[in-house]
Amino acid sequence: MKKIYAKPEYCMACRLCEIACFVKHSKSKKIIKAFREERGEFQARIIVEQSGPVSFALQCRHCEDAGCIEACLTGAMTRNPDGAVVCDENKCVGCWSCIMVCPYGVINHDRRRKKIAAKCDLCPDKNTPACVEACPNEALVYE
Amino acid sequence: MNKKIKNRRHKSLKHSGGGRIGKPGESSVKYLIVGAGPAAIAAIEAIRKRDKRGAITIVSSEKEVFYSRPLISYLLADDIGEENLFYRGEDFISANAPLRIIAGAPASSINPRDKTAAIAYGRVLKWEKLIIASGGVPIVPPAILGAKNLRTFTTIEDARRLDADIKSGAKRAVVVGGGFIGLKCAEALVKRGVSVTLVELAMHVLPSLLDDVSAGIFQKNLERHGVSVRTLSSVEKIYDGGKKLKLSGGEVIETDIIISAVGVRPNVSFLEGSLIRMGKGVIVGDDMRSSADGVFAAGDAADVPEFFSGARRAVPIWPVARQTGAIAGENAAGGAARAAGALTMNSIEVFGLAVISAGSVNPSPDSGTAFLDGAAVETADGLADLPDGTPRYKKLVFDGGGRLAGFIMLGDVERAGIYTELIKNRASVAAFKRDLAGDSFGFICVGEENWKKRIMPLEV
Ligand SMILES: Cc1cc2nc3c(=O)[nH]c(=O)nc-3n(C[C@H](O)[C@H](O)[C@H](O)COP(=O)(O)OP(=O)(O)OC[C@H]3O[C@@H](n4cnc5c(N)ncnc54)[C@H](O)[C@@H]3O)c2cc1C
């Protein structure tokens, strides 16, 4: 299974990946509209981690031994046939058990329709995930 | 409440034994599982990873199988319908064939020597491996026992009954017990227009999850939403068949219904006389084997090794049910898996206020908690409101070895799992304690040697 990896030595913490992810998962898919109308209701599913001069972008690792799937009270969090860990928005009730156990802290809230957990879905309708595409310095790779 | 589930229920009932398992000794299965909750489901999934063909039979006292208990409060609140209550759907049964479900038929006794189980209607099943995943039953304090309007809140049937109470005019409820079941029940009742009094024996609600400060905030939020909270209180006496009750402080409350939510205990009465070694539940090792050959136990029914002390006790939470169920299943199918100690952790949101708590959150030098090693405990607290006015609180508890032993996050729970993982790893975090406690803590705080291998591409 292809995953997104980070290369901290190339990351400039420009956060364009966060913006691309946010826009990709917005309703309008338009940057200005998305920020004006949906900001606060949900967040990017990628986080730029920074400590002094070191930085990297982090999103769901689609763990083989995924604690979020085990902790999920509803069965919303599952592994799809190609290996990605995905959250079924219809089943999720927002109990945050997945947030309680995700070792990377990369599951957050989405309050747009009802309160549910949101995480990287590897942009299933794109060949290359939006964050990887947006990175100007190839600090994110999809391989 | 939604009635759509009727169909599904009948469909799953079709899988019940019918007449095929009739006479004693006639039927024999490789795996018999008592229960159809998350521990049982995890066991089935684990068995099938190793053994694609061995026949599995499930017996369940409830008619509905594979549903999620925590969702009954969402059902009662009308947030979801019965069709959304199921943790696994119909396809689960065919995907794990040969899997037979005998629903609505409780196991009544077990004989580990003959390897048989008696179930309802005088049927007897022979098994090679038995997994006890019968969950818990609600505890009812003696003072309210016998009340005509007494309810509990752990099953789909309990939720239907409360729904019926409300539909036939119940306006007032007393919830006895301020643990997470009591609180989720109170929230659902309030959403349905019922006025609720919550009675809690301890100093504050969620006594094992929260400390004084966070519980104070939590309680204020409950009261803001109309719940009357009575702490350091218990029900002393009931009158009029439960229509009136007297609290320990002398207060008399009138009510239409009483809900007992003081906790659950392992549901193992059917094991009496089986000679399987019992504490409060079935005592198992980290391989989920009981004292009897071929008999395993998991989930709320088992006394499992606890995370810090290794002592056997019930840790009745969902993730532990899944984890121990998977180990029981794998080992029943010939594996040699061992579970890490069961770590207490909870995530709960009531009236929009979320809290996540894990590990030891109320340490005291005399708490006798084994991991403290007599050393001083440091905490890092923070209290500040979020921009939208939601109160926020964070507490980290470190043990004498500089290891994270517990935490509470209230209001803002994002990234809580980073802490949970640090507790599980038992590594010293002394070097980055301050970063961890800070507001902008993140995965990068766990140290380069830890994050590097998890995020970077493998070089060839
Ligand atoms: C309202 C509520 C909210 C909760 N919220 C949370 C939460 O937020 N987070 C969390 O971690 N945990 C929560 N829990 C606890 C969690 O649901 C349990 O820890 C979990 O369901 C235990 O799983 P189990 O498989 O061991 O048992 P159960 O889910 O209790 O399943 C037991 C099964 O055994 C069957 N059974 C019982 N006796 C017999 C018998 N004699 N013969 C045959 N079958 C039998 C039952 O019908 C059932 O199918 C909540 C529980 C409740 C009731």
mmCIF file of all heavy atoms in Angstrom, chain A residues 73 97, chain B residues 34-40 59-62 64 69-70 72-73 105-108 133-136 153-155 180-181 184 267 270 298-301 316-319 321 345-347, ligand 1:
data_model
loop_
_atom_site.group_PDB
_atom_site.id
_atom_site.type_symbol
_atom_site.label_atom_id
_atom_site.label_comp_id
_atom_site.label_asym_id
_atom_site.label_seq_id
_atom_site.Cartn_x
_atom_site.Cartn_y
_atom_site.Cartn_z
ATOM 1 N N LEU A 73 -16.211 2.843 18.983
ATOM 2 C CA LEU A 73 -17.368 2.235 19.637
ATOM 3 C C LEU A 73 -18.469 1.858 18.667
ATOM 4 O O LEU A 73 -19.407 1.162 19.035
ATOM 5 C CB LEU A 73 -17.966 3.216 20.653
ATOM 6 C CG LEU A 73 -17.095 3.670 21.816
ATOM 7 C CD1 LEU A 73 -17.865 4.671 22.664
ATOM 8 C CD2 LEU A 73 -16.664 2.485 22.657
ATOM 9 N N SER A 97 -13.145 8.217 20.900
ATOM 10 C CA SER A 97 -12.294 7.114 21.377
ATOM 11 C C SER A 97 -11.067 6.964 20.487
ATOM 12 O O SER A 97 -9.997 6.574 20.949
ATOM 13 C CB SER A 97 -13.081 5.805 21.386
ATOM 14 O OG SER A 97 -14.133 5.871 22.313
ATOM 15 N N VAL B 34 -19.708 -17.511 24.371
ATOM 16 C CA VAL B 34 -20.864 -17.037 25.130
ATOM 17 C C VAL B 34 -20.836 -15.514 25.108
ATOM 18 O O VAL B 34 -19.942 -14.898 25.694
ATOM 19 C CB VAL B 34 -20.833 -17.550 26.584
ATOM 20 C CG1 VAL B 34 -22.061 -17.046 27.348
ATOM 21 C CG2 VAL B 34 -20.774 -19.072 26.623
ATOM 22 N N GLY B 35 -21.790 -14.920 24.406
ATOM 23 C CA GLY B 35 -21.845 -13.464 24.300
ATOM 24 C C GLY B 35 -21.695 -13.025 22.859
ATOM 25 O O GLY B 35 -21.144 -13.756 22.021
ATOM 26 N N ALA B 36 -22.202 -11.823 22.571
ATOM 27 C CA ALA B 36 -22.132 -11.299 21.204
ATOM 28 C C ALA B 36 -21.823 -9.814 21.215
ATOM 29 O O ALA B 36 -22.357 -9.030 20.442
ATOM 30 C CB ALA B 36 -23.456 -11.566 20.482
ATOM 31 N N GLY B 37 -20.951 -9.421 22.141
ATOM 32 C CA GLY B 37 -20.506 -8.033 22.219
ATOM 33 C C GLY B 37 -19.140 -7.883 21.566
ATOM 34 O O GLY B 37 -18.686 -8.773 20.840
ATOM 35 N N PRO B 38 -18.458 -6.772 21.828
ATOM 36 C CA PRO B 38 -17.168 -6.514 21.169
ATOM 37 C C PRO B 38 -16.092 -7.572 21.459
ATOM 38 O O PRO B 38 -15.277 -7.860 20.577
ATOM 39 C CB PRO B 38 -16.749 -5.146 21.718
ATOM 40 C CG PRO B 38 -17.573 -4.944 22.945
ATOM 41 C CD PRO B 38 -18.855 -5.652 22.704
ATOM 42 N N ALA B 39 -16.097 -8.128 22.667
ATOM 43 C CA ALA B 39 -15.093 -9.156 22.965
ATOM 44 C C ALA B 39 -15.343 -10.387 22.089
ATOM 45 O O ALA B 39 -14.415 -10.968 21.515
ATOM 46 C CB ALA B 39 -15.128 -9.527 24.448
ATOM 47 N N ALA B 40 -16.602 -10.775 21.961
ATOM 48 C CA ALA B 40 -16.952 -11.928 21.130
ATOM 49 C C ALA B 40 -16.613 -11.661 19.659
ATOM 50 O O ALA B 40 -16.058 -12.521 18.968
ATOM 51 C CB ALA B 40 -18.446 -12.251 21.280
ATOM 52 N N VAL B 59 -23.620 -18.088 21.441
ATOM 53 C CA VAL B 59 -24.900 -18.027 22.142
ATOM 54 C C VAL B 59 -25.007 -16.671 22.821
ATOM 55 O O VAL B 59 -24.037 -16.167 23.378
ATOM 56 C CB VAL B 59 -25.108 -19.160 23.188
ATOM 57 C CG1 VAL B 59 -25.193 -20.500 22.512
ATOM 58 C CG2 VAL B 59 -24.022 -19.151 24.245
ATOM 59 N N SER B 60 -26.170 -16.077 22.713
ATOM 60 C CA SER B 60 -26.361 -14.745 23.274
ATOM 61 C C SER B 60 -27.685 -14.678 24.013
ATOM 62 O O SER B 60 -28.703 -15.146 23.507
ATOM 63 C CB SER B 60 -26.354 -13.722 22.138
ATOM 64 O OG SER B 60 -27.025 -12.553 22.536
ATOM 65 N N SER B 61 -27.666 -14.107 25.198
ATOM 66 C CA SER B 61 -28.923 -14.029 25.947
ATOM 67 C C SER B 61 -29.855 -13.003 25.315
ATOM 68 O O SER B 61 -31.065 -13.132 25.383
ATOM 69 C CB SER B 61 -28.658 -13.691 27.411
ATOM 70 O OG SER B 61 -27.828 -12.567 27.512
ATOM 71 N N GLU B 62 -29.265 -11.989 24.685
ATOM 72 C CA GLU B 62 -30.119 -11.002 24.036
ATOM 73 C C GLU B 62 -30.450 -11.433 22.613
ATOM 74 O O GLU B 62 -29.671 -12.131 21.967
ATOM 75 C CB GLU B 62 -29.399 -9.648 23.972
ATOM 76 C CG GLU B 62 -29.275 -8.979 25.317
ATOM 77 C CD GLU B 62 -28.306 -7.814 25.238
ATOM 78 O OE1 GLU B 62 -28.742 -6.738 24.820
ATOM 79 O OE2 GLU B 62 -27.126 -7.989 25.578
ATOM 80 N N GLU B 64 -30.744 -9.301 20.096
ATOM 81 C CA GLU B 64 -29.927 -8.518 19.178
ATOM 82 C C GLU B 64 -28.461 -8.858 19.405
ATOM 83 O O GLU B 64 -27.981 -8.813 20.536
ATOM 84 C CB GLU B 64 -30.135 -7.022 19.403
ATOM 85 C CG GLU B 64 -31.534 -6.542 19.111
ATOM 86 C CD GLU B 64 -32.484 -6.814 20.257
ATOM 87 O OE1 GLU B 64 -32.039 -7.306 21.312
ATOM 88 O OE2 GLU B 64 -33.683 -6.543 20.085
ATOM 89 N N ARG B 69 -23.187 -1.378 22.930
ATOM 90 C CA ARG B 69 -23.867 -0.854 24.125
ATOM 91 C C ARG B 69 -23.726 0.656 24.286
ATOM 92 O O ARG B 69 -24.699 1.322 24.637
ATOM 93 C CB ARG B 69 -23.313 -1.503 25.389
ATOM 94 C CG ARG B 69 -23.563 -2.969 25.477
ATOM 95 C CD ARG B 69 -23.507 -3.424 26.928
ATOM 96 N NE ARG B 69 -23.608 -4.872 27.006
ATOM 97 C CZ ARG B 69 -24.693 -5.546 26.694
ATOM 98 N NH1 ARG B 69 -25.772 -4.914 26.274
ATOM 99 N NH2 ARG B 69 -24.708 -6.859 26.781
ATOM 100 N N PRO B 70 -22.523 1.217 24.091
ATOM 101 C CA PRO B 70 -22.397 2.662 24.318
ATOM 102 C C PRO B 70 -23.359 3.481 23.461
ATOM 103 O O PRO B 70 -23.654 4.625 23.792
ATOM 104 C CB PRO B 70 -20.941 2.952 23.930
ATOM 105 C CG PRO B 70 -20.228 1.660 24.153
ATOM 106 C CD PRO B 70 -21.226 0.594 23.805
ATOM 107 N N ILE B 72 -26.506 3.070 23.070
ATOM 108 C CA ILE B 72 -27.910 3.131 23.506
ATOM 109 C C ILE B 72 -28.293 4.512 24.025
ATOM 110 O O ILE B 72 -29.454 4.892 23.967
ATOM 111 C CB ILE B 72 -28.270 2.036 24.546
ATOM 112 C CG1 ILE B 72 -27.481 2.203 25.837
ATOM 113 C CG2 ILE B 72 -28.097 0.637 23.945
ATOM 114 C CD1 ILE B 72 -27.951 1.286 26.965
ATOM 115 N N SER B 73 -27.310 5.285 24.504
ATOM 116 C CA SER B 73 -27.677 6.632 24.958
ATOM 117 C C SER B 73 -27.993 7.533 23.759
ATOM 118 O O SER B 73 -28.846 8.414 23.844
ATOM 119 C CB SER B 73 -26.581 7.247 25.833
ATOM 120 O OG SER B 73 -25.415 7.491 25.097
ATOM 121 N N ALA B 105 -30.879 -16.936 23.795
ATOM 122 C CA ALA B 105 -30.737 -18.209 24.504
ATOM 123 C C ALA B 105 -29.517 -18.155 25.421
ATOM 124 O O ALA B 105 -28.413 -18.474 25.015
ATOM 125 C CB ALA B 105 -30.589 -19.347 23.502
ATOM 126 N N PRO B 106 -29.714 -17.724 26.666
ATOM 127 C CA PRO B 106 -28.573 -17.622 27.577
ATOM 128 C C PRO B 106 -27.969 -18.983 27.935
ATOM 129 O O PRO B 106 -28.699 -19.972 28.025
ATOM 130 C CB PRO B 106 -29.169 -16.960 28.829
ATOM 131 C CG PRO B 106 -30.638 -17.180 28.744
ATOM 132 C CD PRO B 106 -30.969 -17.256 27.294
ATOM 133 N N ALA B 107 -26.658 -18.976 28.095
ATOM 134 C CA ALA B 107 -26.018 -20.164 28.647
ATOM 135 C C ALA B 107 -26.416 -20.246 30.115
ATOM 136 O O ALA B 107 -26.399 -19.238 30.813
ATOM 137 C CB ALA B 107 -24.510 -20.046 28.511
ATOM 138 N N SER B 108 -26.799 -21.429 30.578
ATOM 139 C CA SER B 108 -27.216 -21.517 31.977
ATOM 140 C C SER B 108 -26.194 -22.235 32.845
ATOM 141 O O SER B 108 -26.146 -22.035 34.049
ATOM 142 C CB SER B 108 -28.582 -22.176 32.097
ATOM 143 O OG SER B 108 -28.591 -23.396 31.395
ATOM 144 N N ALA B 133 -17.507 -14.491 26.996
ATOM 145 C CA ALA B 133 -17.501 -13.053 26.690
ATOM 146 C C ALA B 133 -18.882 -12.505 27.010
ATOM 147 O O ALA B 133 -19.521 -11.850 26.193
ATOM 148 C CB ALA B 133 -17.136 -12.821 25.228
ATOM 149 N N SER B 134 -19.334 -12.824 28.228
ATOM 150 C CA SER B 134 -20.721 -12.528 28.598
ATOM 151 C C SER B 134 -20.899 -11.142 29.199
ATOM 152 O O SER B 134 -21.989 -10.803 29.663
ATOM 153 C CB SER B 134 -21.237 -13.599 29.555
ATOM 154 O OG SER B 134 -20.292 -13.831 30.584
ATOM 155 N N GLY B 135 -19.838 -10.322 29.208
ATOM 156 C CA GLY B 135 -19.996 -8.927 29.589
ATOM 157 C C GLY B 135 -20.296 -8.708 31.058
ATOM 158 O O GLY B 135 -19.909 -9.511 31.911
ATOM 159 N N GLY B 136 -20.988 -7.613 31.329
ATOM 160 C CA GLY B 136 -21.303 -7.265 32.709
ATOM 161 C C GLY B 136 -22.794 -7.118 32.918
ATOM 162 O O GLY B 136 -23.563 -7.036 31.965
ATOM 163 N N PHE B 153 -29.482 0.665 32.621
ATOM 164 C CA PHE B 153 -29.184 1.262 31.320
ATOM 165 C C PHE B 153 -27.936 0.636 30.712
ATOM 166 O O PHE B 153 -26.886 1.258 30.636
ATOM 167 C CB PHE B 153 -29.017 2.783 31.467
ATOM 168 C CG PHE B 153 -29.094 3.530 30.170
ATOM 169 C CD1 PHE B 153 -30.209 3.429 29.345
ATOM 170 C CD2 PHE B 153 -28.046 4.341 29.755
ATOM 171 C CE1 PHE B 153 -30.285 4.120 28.151
ATOM 172 C CE2 PHE B 153 -28.104 5.037 28.554
ATOM 173 C CZ PHE B 153 -29.236 4.921 27.747
ATOM 174 N N THR B 154 -28.080 -0.611 30.302
ATOM 175 C CA THR B 154 -26.944 -1.236 29.619
ATOM 176 C C THR B 154 -27.323 -1.963 28.327
ATOM 177 O O THR B 154 -26.445 -2.329 27.557
ATOM 178 C CB THR B 154 -26.202 -2.258 30.521
ATOM 179 O OG1 THR B 154 -27.096 -3.310 30.866
ATOM 180 C CG2 THR B 154 -25.681 -1.608 31.783
ATOM 181 N N THR B 155 -28.590 -2.174 28.088
ATOM 182 C CA THR B 155 -28.963 -2.939 26.891
ATOM 183 C C THR B 155 -29.924 -2.155 26.006
ATOM 184 O O THR B 155 -30.533 -1.170 26.436
ATOM 185 C CB THR B 155 -29.669 -4.264 27.276
ATOM 186 O OG1 THR B 155 -30.904 -3.941 27.923
ATOM 187 C CG2 THR B 155 -28.807 -5.102 28.211
ATOM 188 N N PHE B 180 -19.818 7.048 33.760
ATOM 189 C CA PHE B 180 -20.172 7.446 32.399
ATOM 190 C C PHE B 180 -21.504 6.915 31.924
ATOM 191 O O PHE B 180 -22.183 7.568 31.144
ATOM 192 C CB PHE B 180 -19.043 7.259 31.382
ATOM 193 C CG PHE B 180 -18.574 5.874 31.118
ATOM 194 C CD1 PHE B 180 -19.403 4.936 30.509
ATOM 195 C CD2 PHE B 180 -17.276 5.506 31.420
ATOM 196 C CE1 PHE B 180 -18.963 3.673 30.236
ATOM 197 C CE2 PHE B 180 -16.828 4.227 31.152
ATOM 198 C CZ PHE B 180 -17.664 3.311 30.564
ATOM 199 N N ILE B 181 -21.953 5.785 32.436
ATOM 200 C CA ILE B 181 -23.265 5.285 32.030
ATOM 201 C C ILE B 181 -24.363 6.202 32.573
ATOM 202 O O ILE B 181 -25.282 6.601 31.852
ATOM 203 C CB ILE B 181 -23.479 3.821 32.494
ATOM 204 C CG1 ILE B 181 -22.478 2.902 31.788
ATOM 205 C CG2 ILE B 181 -24.913 3.377 32.229
ATOM 206 C CD1 ILE B 181 -22.589 1.439 32.170
ATOM 207 N N LYS B 184 -24.277 9.605 30.597
ATOM 208 C CA LYS B 184 -24.804 9.524 29.231
ATOM 209 C C LYS B 184 -26.316 9.305 29.261
ATOM 210 O O LYS B 184 -27.047 9.796 28.397
ATOM 211 C CB LYS B 184 -24.120 8.404 28.435
ATOM 212 C CG LYS B 184 -22.668 8.680 28.056
ATOM 213 C CD LYS B 184 -22.473 9.976 27.267
ATOM 214 C CE LYS B 184 -22.829 9.873 25.804
ATOM 215 N NZ LYS B 184 -22.492 11.147 25.082
ATOM 216 N N ASN B 267 -20.671 -10.607 34.442
ATOM 217 C CA ASN B 267 -21.896 -11.387 34.305
ATOM 218 C C ASN B 267 -21.528 -12.872 34.224
ATOM 219 O O ASN B 267 -21.386 -13.425 33.140
ATOM 220 C CB ASN B 267 -22.582 -10.925 33.014
ATOM 221 C CG ASN B 267 -23.871 -11.640 32.757
ATOM 222 O OD1 ASN B 267 -24.354 -12.399 33.596
ATOM 223 N ND2 ASN B 267 -24.423 -11.413 31.590
ATOM 224 N N PHE B 270 -23.761 -17.784 35.698
ATOM 225 C CA PHE B 270 -23.984 -19.102 35.087
ATOM 226 C C PHE B 270 -22.768 -20.022 35.232
ATOM 227 O O PHE B 270 -22.832 -21.205 34.902
ATOM 228 C CB PHE B 270 -24.383 -18.968 33.607
ATOM 229 C CG PHE B 270 -23.296 -18.393 32.731
ATOM 230 C CD1 PHE B 270 -22.489 -19.237 31.965
ATOM 231 C CD2 PHE B 270 -23.081 -17.033 32.668
ATOM 232 C CE1 PHE B 270 -21.488 -18.711 31.163
ATOM 233 C CE2 PHE B 270 -22.088 -16.498 31.867
ATOM 234 C CZ PHE B 270 -21.279 -17.340 31.114
ATOM 235 N N ALA B 298 -12.840 -13.096 28.225
ATOM 236 C CA ALA B 298 -12.408 -11.783 27.739
ATOM 237 C C ALA B 298 -13.485 -10.744 28.018
ATOM 238 O O ALA B 298 -14.643 -11.077 28.284
ATOM 239 C CB ALA B 298 -12.130 -11.846 26.228
ATOM 240 N N GLY B 299 -13.072 -9.486 27.953
ATOM 241 C CA GLY B 299 -14.024 -8.378 28.090
ATOM 242 C C GLY B 299 -14.470 -8.172 29.529
ATOM 243 O O GLY B 299 -13.770 -8.541 30.474
ATOM 244 N N ASP B 300 -15.653 -7.595 29.670
ATOM 245 C CA ASP B 300 -16.164 -7.233 30.991
ATOM 246 C C ASP B 300 -16.357 -8.433 31.914
ATOM 247 O O ASP B 300 -16.484 -8.269 33.125
ATOM 248 C CB ASP B 300 -17.529 -6.522 30.851
ATOM 249 C CG ASP B 300 -17.408 -5.102 30.326
ATOM 250 O OD1 ASP B 300 -16.300 -4.714 29.901
ATOM 251 O OD2 ASP B 300 -18.429 -4.386 30.330
ATOM 252 N N ALA B 301 -16.408 -9.635 31.369
ATOM 253 C CA ALA B 301 -16.641 -10.831 32.183
ATOM 254 C C ALA B 301 -15.368 -11.335 32.849
ATOM 255 O O ALA B 301 -15.417 -12.207 33.710
ATOM 256 C CB ALA B 301 -17.253 -11.948 31.322
ATOM 257 N N PRO B 316 -13.583 -2.730 32.719
ATOM 258 C CA PRO B 316 -14.748 -2.856 31.833
ATOM 259 C C PRO B 316 -14.895 -1.724 30.836
ATOM 260 O O PRO B 316 -15.814 -0.926 30.927
ATOM 261 C CB PRO B 316 -15.928 -2.912 32.803
ATOM 262 C CG PRO B 316 -15.464 -2.114 33.982
ATOM 263 C CD PRO B 316 -13.969 -2.238 34.055
ATOM 264 N N ILE B 317 -13.984 -1.659 29.903
ATOM 265 C CA ILE B 317 -14.090 -0.652 28.843
ATOM 266 C C ILE B 317 -13.963 -1.323 27.476
ATOM 267 O O ILE B 317 -13.399 -2.404 27.342
ATOM 268 C CB ILE B 317 -13.028 0.463 28.981
ATOM 269 C CG1 ILE B 317 -11.607 -0.113 29.012
ATOM 270 C CG2 ILE B 317 -13.297 1.310 30.216
ATOM 271 C CD1 ILE B 317 -10.516 0.936 28.878
ATOM 272 N N TRP B 318 -14.478 -0.643 26.497
ATOM 273 C CA TRP B 318 -14.548 -1.158 25.125
ATOM 274 C C TRP B 318 -13.183 -1.583 24.570
ATOM 275 O O TRP B 318 -13.043 -2.704 24.058
ATOM 276 C CB TRP B 318 -15.197 -0.094 24.248
ATOM 277 C CG TRP B 318 -15.477 -0.540 22.872
ATOM 278 C CD1 TRP B 318 -14.608 -0.561 21.823
ATOM 279 C CD2 TRP B 318 -16.715 -1.048 22.385
ATOM 280 N NE1 TRP B 318 -15.232 -1.037 20.702
ATOM 281 C CE2 TRP B 318 -16.515 -1.343 21.019
ATOM 282 C CE3 TRP B 318 -17.966 -1.268 22.970
ATOM 283 C CZ2 TRP B 318 -17.547 -1.859 20.230
ATOM 284 C CZ3 TRP B 318 -18.979 -1.766 22.176
ATOM 285 C CH2 TRP B 318 -18.760 -2.058 20.821
ATOM 286 N N PRO B 319 -12.167 -0.714 24.598
ATOM 287 C CA PRO B 319 -10.888 -1.114 23.971
ATOM 288 C C PRO B 319 -10.304 -2.382 24.605
ATOM 289 O O PRO B 319 -9.690 -3.184 23.906
ATOM 290 C CB PRO B 319 -9.962 0.085 24.224
ATOM 291 C CG PRO B 319 -10.862 1.230 24.516
ATOM 292 C CD PRO B 319 -12.097 0.662 25.137
ATOM 293 N N ALA B 321 -12.109 -4.809 25.940
ATOM 294 C CA ALA B 321 -12.930 -5.921 25.451
ATOM 295 C C ALA B 321 -12.441 -6.385 24.082
ATOM 296 O O ALA B 321 -12.298 -7.580 23.814
ATOM 297 C CB ALA B 321 -14.408 -5.516 25.385
ATOM 298 N N MET B 345 -8.891 3.754 30.326
ATOM 299 C CA MET B 345 -8.966 5.010 29.576
ATOM 300 C C MET B 345 -10.404 5.247 29.150
ATOM 301 O O MET B 345 -11.149 4.309 28.889
ATOM 302 C CB MET B 345 -8.052 4.971 28.351
ATOM 303 C CG MET B 345 -8.294 3.809 27.442
ATOM 304 S SD MET B 345 -7.275 3.905 25.959
ATOM 305 C CE MET B 345 -6.156 2.556 26.247
ATOM 306 N N ASN B 346 -10.787 6.483 29.150
ATOM 307 C CA ASN B 346 -12.155 6.807 28.790
ATOM 308 C C ASN B 346 -12.236 8.115 28.037
ATOM 309 O O ASN B 346 -11.493 9.047 28.326
ATOM 310 C CB ASN B 346 -13.019 6.925 30.049
ATOM 311 C CG ASN B 346 -13.500 5.570 30.519
ATOM 312 O OD1 ASN B 346 -14.422 4.995 29.944
ATOM 313 N ND2 ASN B 346 -12.854 5.047 31.546
ATOM 314 N N SER B 347 -13.167 8.147 27.104
ATOM 315 C CA SER B 347 -13.463 9.374 26.390
ATOM 316 C C SER B 347 -14.966 9.576 26.495
ATOM 317 O O SER B 347 -15.735 8.680 26.175
ATOM 318 C CB SER B 347 -13.060 9.225 24.921
ATOM 319 O OG SER B 347 -13.557 10.314 24.175
HETATM 320 C C1 LIG C 1 -24.490 3.034 28.207
HETATM 321 C C2 LIG C 1 -23.062 2.520 28.104
HETATM 322 C C3 LIG C 1 -22.078 3.377 27.655
HETATM 323 C C4 LIG C 1 -20.772 2.931 27.537
HETATM 324 N N1 LIG C 1 -19.833 3.788 27.066
HETATM 325 C C5 LIG C 1 -18.551 3.381 26.956
HETATM 326 C C6 LIG C 1 -17.555 4.249 26.451
HETATM 327 O O1 LIG C 1 -17.819 5.399 26.109
HETATM 328 N N2 LIG C 1 -16.277 3.788 26.366
HETATM 329 C C7 LIG C 1 -15.941 2.522 26.745
HETATM 330 O O2 LIG C 1 -14.780 2.145 26.637
HETATM 331 N N3 LIG C 1 -16.875 1.668 27.212
HETATM 332 C C8 LIG C 1 -18.167 2.065 27.326
HETATM 333 N N4 LIG C 1 -19.101 1.195 27.818
HETATM 334 C C9 LIG C 1 -18.661 -0.134 28.249
HETATM 335 C C10 LIG C 1 -18.575 -1.092 27.075
HETATM 336 O O3 LIG C 1 -19.793 -1.093 26.393
HETATM 337 C C11 LIG C 1 -18.214 -2.489 27.573
HETATM 338 O O4 LIG C 1 -16.948 -2.445 28.171
HETATM 339 C C12 LIG C 1 -18.203 -3.514 26.447
HETATM 340 O O5 LIG C 1 -19.442 -3.603 25.812
HETATM 341 C C13 LIG C 1 -17.812 -4.885 26.980
HETATM 342 O O6 LIG C 1 -17.828 -5.806 25.948
HETATM 343 P P1 LIG C 1 -18.069 -7.367 26.186
HETATM 344 O O7 LIG C 1 -18.005 -7.989 24.844
HETATM 345 O O8 LIG C 1 -17.160 -7.842 27.238
HETATM 346 O O9 LIG C 1 -19.530 -7.487 26.799
HETATM 347 P P2 LIG C 1 -20.934 -6.911 26.344
HETATM 348 O O10 LIG C 1 -20.819 -5.877 25.323
HETATM 349 O O11 LIG C 1 -21.616 -6.558 27.616
HETATM 350 O O12 LIG C 1 -21.633 -8.160 25.681
HETATM 351 C C14 LIG C 1 -22.013 -9.278 26.443
HETATM 352 C C15 LIG C 1 -22.757 -10.241 25.569
HETATM 353 O O13 LIG C 1 -23.007 -11.435 26.295
HETATM 354 C C16 LIG C 1 -24.362 -11.812 26.207
HETATM 355 N N5 LIG C 1 -24.662 -12.614 27.401
HETATM 356 C C17 LIG C 1 -24.668 -12.228 28.681
HETATM 357 N N6 LIG C 1 -24.931 -13.279 29.480
HETATM 358 C C18 LIG C 1 -25.057 -14.356 28.707
HETATM 359 C C19 LIG C 1 -25.334 -15.739 28.948
HETATM 360 N N7 LIG C 1 -25.506 -16.229 30.172
HETATM 361 N N8 LIG C 1 -25.429 -16.553 27.882
HETATM 362 C C20 LIG C 1 -25.258 -16.061 26.632
HETATM 363 N N9 LIG C 1 -24.993 -14.786 26.363
HETATM 364 C C21 LIG C 1 -24.897 -13.942 27.382
HETATM 365 C C22 LIG C 1 -25.086 -10.501 26.056
HETATM 366 O O14 LIG C 1 -26.351 -10.686 25.467
HETATM 367 C C23 LIG C 1 -24.119 -9.767 25.119
HETATM 368 O O15 LIG C 1 -24.300 -10.169 23.794
HETATM 369 C C24 LIG C 1 -20.437 1.610 27.926
HETATM 370 C C25 LIG C 1 -21.444 0.762 28.380
HETATM 371 C C26 LIG C 1 -22.740 1.195 28.474
HETATM 372 C C27 LIG C 1 -23.787 0.249 28.953
#
